[in-house]
Amino acid sequence: MSLALTRDELIRTHNLIDGQWTDAADGARFPVANPATGERIAEVANSGAADARAATDAAARAFPAWRDKLPRERAELLRRWHALIVANTDDLAKLMSMEQGKPLAESRGEVAYGASYVAWFADEATRIYGDLIPQQQRGKRMSAVKEPLGVVAAITPWNFPLAMIARKIAPALAAGCTVVAKPAEDTPLTALALAALAQEAGLPKGVLNMLSASREQGIAAVADWLADARVRKITFTGSTPVGKHLARESAGTLKKLSLELGGNAPFIVFDDADLDAAVTGLMASKFRNGGQTCVCPNRVYVQAAVYERFADLLATRVAALKVAPATDPDAQIGPMINTRAIDKIARHVEDAVAHGAKVLTGGKRLTELGPNYYAPTVLTGARDDMIVCCEETFGPVAPLFRFTDEAEALRLANDTPFGLAAYFYTQDIARIDRVASGLEAGVIGINEGAVSSEAAPFGGVKESGYGREGSKYGLDDYLSIKYLCQGGFDR
Ligand code: SIN
């Protein structure tokens, strides 16, 4: 696949600051590689603290006018942005597959998914209601209004290069905030193309600023945002250690935070489940994006009576998955993002096997395809002393753990510091209620593996973070409540 897009101008390699596409202050650049081949596909601005400061200056200047626009004016701009994203689906999907590796069909799906957040928050922009508080004291009228927080810093991961940044920028803009954003160093091109489309939609200068940075320089850029009191909120999707760092370092200016962090999702199959449906649900959730998804099941718990049957059904489906570069129209699993990722997956599988797990299918690198491919894998005999039980693998590996009863399943599922997503399959309606309330997670799939939606609140509990994205709740994270107490009334 080449970078031959229909619209070449969507390939942006500069920062967008104050409506201008600019080099990093010191002119530095860093390479973006295609994970399928390791080849360099572009060089983008390598921004640091000075660029982050310039972005904040622009966002702070743009804030008063953006805040004061009518909600329907903001909504109109978001709708135009949405229409442009949809109209440019093919180019965006191509860019995404090129820098992230996911099969083209999946990239197209992500464009639609990301765009759905923009459409959703365009509508929500016009529904930011306050409250008139029933009168409590004579002579006083009390009300609560919602106001935008100010400048928001959005820091996003590489696994969903378009959807994650769209679902942060769209609610921020809908609420009346202005944005400084930094996409992941592995996948800046899709995000920069999205920013170009926002500009084309007519977003005023300074309302959305975006910079690219390497891992090292990104730390300096984000440090500047952390220390800057004008940045009132940080919204971050990524690892738990980085989330904790942001929480610690933003304490000096007490910023509001939304942190969508690591997961270690359990997927429980009870012996009364529809096994075919459970396998289908697991295939959809586990192997989406090659297993590089925060809500991916990491631990599959199967009740003893159906363990072998489920394992066989699953292994047959997994062995049939087509692993290929994004250019192959039949590809279902692409390359992993980089060498670090593939090394981690291999280490998890080796550790499991060394501790007694059996490989039913997969269990090896596919070096004949390229440097970053790993065969979709099913492991049986998984136990809690294996790394796959306590660390997020972030790859196409399904380890099957055995359990005997509901109490044990719940205990094992919750035995983790994380709590982003959890899934279970059962046909017992009383059990549905018990298990749904017993699971410690922010997102629960009940007889369903595909849970994500712009209309639903997405976010975790425990060390998976806090804050919600999407849905009517997603807007509140960008608003603060102001209480108004007006005296001088004669009743
Ligand atoms: C994620 O992996 O962080 C997001 C997945 C989703 O939105 O479904």
Side-chain angles (χ1 to χ4, degrees), residues 40 88 98 101 135 156 158 175 191 222 249 281 297 419 421 429 446:
R40 173 178 301 214
N88 288 280
M98 177 69 87
Q135 197 170 15
T156 55
W158 50 263
V222 170
E249 297 301 314
I429 52 167
I446 305 165

Side-chain angles (χ1 to χ4, degrees), residues 113 117 157 159-160 163-164 167 237-238 260-261 288-289 292-296 394 420 451-453 458 469:
Y113 178 47
Y117 284 94
N159 60 341
F160 289 90
M164 296 303 99
R167 82 176 180 197
T237 297
E260 199 256 274
L261 307 177
R288 174 179 174 220
N289 199 19
Q292 304 173 107
T293 306
C294 299
V295 286
C296 267
F394 233 60
L420 184 54
V451 289
S452 301
S453 161
F458 187 100
E469 298 195 301

Side-chain angles (χ1 to χ4, degrees), residues 96-136:
M96 200 187 315
S97 287
M98 177 69 87
E99 63 178 351
Q100 200 272 345
K102 62 181 72 180
L104 213 43
E106 218 171 326
S107 292
R108 284 204 189 90
E110 185 182 335
V111 176
Y113 178 47
S116 73
Y117 284 94
V118 180
W120 177 268
F121 285 110
D123 289 346
E124 287 296 306
T126 58
R127 297 180 193 133
I128 303 173
Y129 292 100
D131 282 310
L132 187 59
I133 297 166
Q135 197 170 15
Q136 304 294 324

